[in-house]
Amino acid sequence: MLEWIVTICILIVVVLFWPVTMYFAPSGQSPGLLSGLGRRISRCQIKRPDRCVSDPTAVPTATIAAMGEAETVALICKPSALAKYLHKHCVTFCNFATASRWDWRANPFLQTVLGACWPSESAVHFVRDHLQMSDSGLVALDWAAAGSAPHKRRRTSSNSTSPVLLIIPNSFGKITWNVLKLCDMALSRGYVPVVFNRRGQNGTPLSTPRLQQFGDPADLREAVRYVRYRRPAARLYAVSEGTGSGLLLSYLGECGSSSYLTAAACLSPVFRCQAWFESSPCWPFHWVLLLYQKTCLSRYRTALEEAMHTDSLFSCSSLRSLEEALFCLPSGREGGGAGCSWEEYWERNDPLRDVDEVAVPVLCVCSRDDPVRGEPGTTLPLELFESNPHFFLLLTGRGGHCGFFTPGEGEGGAPWSHCALLEFFRGTTDFFAAEERAQLAARRRGLRGGVGAVTVGNARGFRHRSISTCKRLPACSHSIHAIYSWQRSYTR
């Protein structure tokens, strides 16, 4: 009930003040605020004409605002074989329709609120599995299934090859309308969606006085092992929403080529998380997020008293102070985690700390008017997408935070972002399959003899060397060679 009251209040405030802001602001975005980012993109396009954009023939503009008028979406990435393939075959990337100035979809606050709180009418229910971690903590996996009501529990076959879509909600544990809609859409396209719930979130019991730190992927790693045990023959993809992208990026960086994932996607990710906690989002969202997290933690107040000062915890007035109270414990208290300073905490939890070790394609869908992430000029690490061939950025002019509603809505009324990320998964899978066929054909031609032919013994030696000469394995117990046969040729 409290959640609905807060949502209605925010909607009333936005509806009352939006016409006033639209009247005094000639554009939905501030040219002075975004011009620096626009010049940066323009210079890169001029230096690299083969840069990946939604319309390669479009003339670069001087500012990001003018760029938004010229093209509704830009695919920013390092030129590579995979980038060219995605640009050619992922038509959804170019189909982002900009709403008119007075359409509600042009308001980033309404997009954000509706995407998070609007009730879903999708006929999806969940079957929950509780997983016990190595320290006796519990996390939950909610397997989505079609149907308006739960049926008798039914285990899917371990030999099924239907791809699994692992969904990581925001770090506050809120299952939003976007997550439910993504489950519904993924089911219709043959995926098996499963939602990862952290300790103490979304009804998951808190069996130990320890919560999951912002960028600690230990629990997620064990959950992925379980999913692989349940579905060993299926490909595994992952999608994260909002601040939940910090956990996914941390997992990909820590596990590297042993992540078990074929591809991943982040919807409206927050990249510079320490700065985000320190500056906080604009006051309506900051107040709602703080109140929601305190409400969820209040259920476990008695249990948390063993590990931290709950009085100071529930008297926090900012997201930063709440995060510090949870994980940066003062001296003399034990149980919730090791005491550390704020800077030391983010050295261990920064999502981009091991970003160079990411070894699978990652699509990030962001909007320039995201009111939760903040100003794009300081919150989007464009240099990451320009230099790392594994990262792709779909940057739209409008869409809010995890909104991306368009006048021509996608399949079943789903946001445009859902269609784009599922097409990205299909495109990367098709590209890998084509690479495998090409390598297999080349190997067969070599084994038949002729110019450049190699003997069977030499072929075996090459395969052995290809494994032994790869870069050092990260500190993750997964074995990538038991899963994939494709090579990372898409980085060329």
Side-chain angles (χ1 to χ4, degrees), residues 145-176:
S148 57
H151 300 291
K152 184 179 180 179
R153 185 181 183 86
R154 180 178 60 183
R155 291 279 182 176
T156 56
S157 172
S158 61
N159 297 323
S160 174
T161 58
S162 298
V164 177
L165 183 62
L166 179 63
I167 302 174
I168 303 174
N170 55 71
S171 61
F172 302 96
K174 176 73 170 66
I175 302 301
T176 63

Side-chain angles (χ1 to χ4, degrees), residues 104-174:
W104 68 268
R105 300 175 185 87
N107 188 297
F109 292 92
L110 288 177
Q111 288 238 18
T112 302
V113 173
L114 294 179
C117 304
W118 194 254
S120 175
E121 298 179 356
S122 60
V124 176
H125 73 275
F126 295 95
V127 177
R128 170 162 291 192
D129 284 337
H130 285 103
L131 305 183
Q132 188 175 41
M133 303 291 100
S134 56
D135 64 347
S136 300
L138 291 178
V139 300
L141 292 177
D142 291 336
W143 298 83
S148 57
H151 300 291
K152 184 179 180 179
R153 185 181 183 86
R154 180 178 60 183
R155 291 279 182 176
T156 56
S157 172
S158 61
N159 297 323
S160 174
T161 58
S162 298
V164 177
L165 183 62
L166 179 63
I167 302 174
I168 303 174
N170 55 71
S171 61
F172 302 96
K174 176 73 170 66

Side-chain angles (χ1 to χ4, degrees), residues 262-278:
T262 301
C266 302
L267 295 179
S268 298
V270 177
F271 295 100
R272 309 187 192 280
C273 298
Q274 180 180 356
W276 185 80
F277 273 95
E278 291 173 350

Side-chain angles (χ1 to χ4, degrees), residues 166 237-241 245 248 252 263-267 361-365 421-422 424-425:
L166 179 63
Y237 305 87
V239 178
S240 59
E241 180 192 40
S245 299
L248 178 57
L252 293 174
C266 302
L267 295 179
V362 181
L363 177 69
C364 299
V365 186
L421 67 89
L422 291 180
F424 171 76
F425 292 155

Side-chain angles (χ1 to χ4, degrees), residues 19-335:
V20 178
T21 57
M22 291 296 294
Y23 179 81
F24 288 103
S27 173
Q29 304 173 33
S30 172
L33 184 67
L34 304 178
S35 58
L37 178 61
R39 287 193 294 271
R40 183 176 185 179
I41 291 178
S42 300
R43 285 198 300 268
C44 293
Q45 288 176 328
I46 294 171
K47 285 175 60 179
R48 295 200 300 240
D50 57 344
R51 181 189 178 87
C52 221
V53 294
S54 60
D55 182 8
T57 62
V59 179
T61 57
T63 64
I64 198 71
M67 179 182 172
E69 296 296 331
E71 55 186 12
T72 57
V73 61
L75 175 61
I76 303 174
C77 57
K78 182 178 181 179
S80 64
L82 177 57
K84 294 177 182 177
Y85 186 91
L86 294 175
H87 184 270
K88 180 179 179 181
H89 293 87
C90 295
V91 295
T92 304
F93 290 2
C94 303
N95 292 342
F96 184 82
T98 304
S100 62
R101 180 177 176 183
W102 293 99
D103 194 310
W104 68 268
R105 300 175 185 87
N107 188 297
F109 292 92
L110 288 177
Q111 288 238 18
T112 302
V113 173
L114 294 179
C117 304
W118 194 254
S120 175
E121 298 179 356
S122 60
V124 176
H125 73 275
F126 295 95
V127 177
R128 170 162 291 192
D129 284 337
H130 285 103
L131 305 183
Q132 188 175 41
M133 303 291 100
S134 56
D135 64 347
S136 300
L138 291 178
V139 300
L141 292 177
D142 291 336
W143 298 83
S148 57
H151 300 291
K152 184 179 180 179
R153 185 181 183 86
R154 180 178 60 183
R155 291 279 182 176
T156 56
S157 172
S158 61
N159 297 323
S160 174
T161 58
S162 298
V164 177
L165 183 62
L166 179 63
I167 302 174
I168 303 174
N170 55 71
S171 61
F172 302 96
K174 176 73 170 66
I175 302 301
T176 63
W177 179 90
N178 272 319
V179 170
L180 297 176
K181 204 64 180 179
L182 179 58
C183 292
D184 192 5
M185 187 175 182
L187 283 171
S188 67
R189 296 201 179 187
Y191 290 83
V192 180
V194 54
V195 179
F196 172 77
N197 300 287
R198 310 186 196 205
R199 305 180 184 211
Q201 293 186 351
N202 194 24
T204 306
L206 186 63
S207 57
T208 60
R210 176 181 177 272
L211 298 172
Q212 185 175 357
Q213 296 184 4
F214 187 89
D216 180 11
D219 291 351
L220 179 60
R221 189 187 308 120
E222 294 193 44
V224 171
R225 290 175 187 165
Y226 174 75
V227 173
R228 292 296 299 174
Y229 169 77
R230 284 278 305 269
R231 308 294 293 267
R235 289 185 180 269
L236 178 60
Y237 305 87
V239 178
S240 59
E241 180 192 40
T243 53
S245 299
L247 180 59
L248 178 57
L249 292 174
S250 296
Y251 171 78
L252 293 174
E254 185 170 302
C255 290
S257 58
S258 303
S259 65
Y260 282 160
L261 300 181
T262 301
C266 302
L267 295 179
S268 298
V270 177
F271 295 100
R272 309 187 192 280
C273 298
Q274 180 180 356
W276 185 80
F277 273 95
E278 291 173 350
S279 60
S280 300
C282 56
W283 71 266
F285 297 109
H286 179 264
W287 180 72
V288 170
L289 291 175
L290 182 63
L291 179 61
Y292 182 82
Q293 190 167 15
K294 285 185 178 182
T295 302
C296 295
L297 291 173
S298 63
R299 298 178 53 195
Y300 310 107
R301 181 165 189 153
T302 303
L304 292 175
E305 285 179 350
E306 303 175 9
M308 61 194 68
H309 296 284
T310 53
D311 292 337
S312 60
L313 174 68
F314 290 101
S315 62
C316 294
S317 58
S318 67
L319 291 174
R320 171 179 175 170
S321 59
L322 185 64
E323 194 78 3
E324 284 185 299
L326 284 172
F327 303 111
C328 303
L329 302 180
S331 58
R333 300 303 296 256
E334 299 178 354

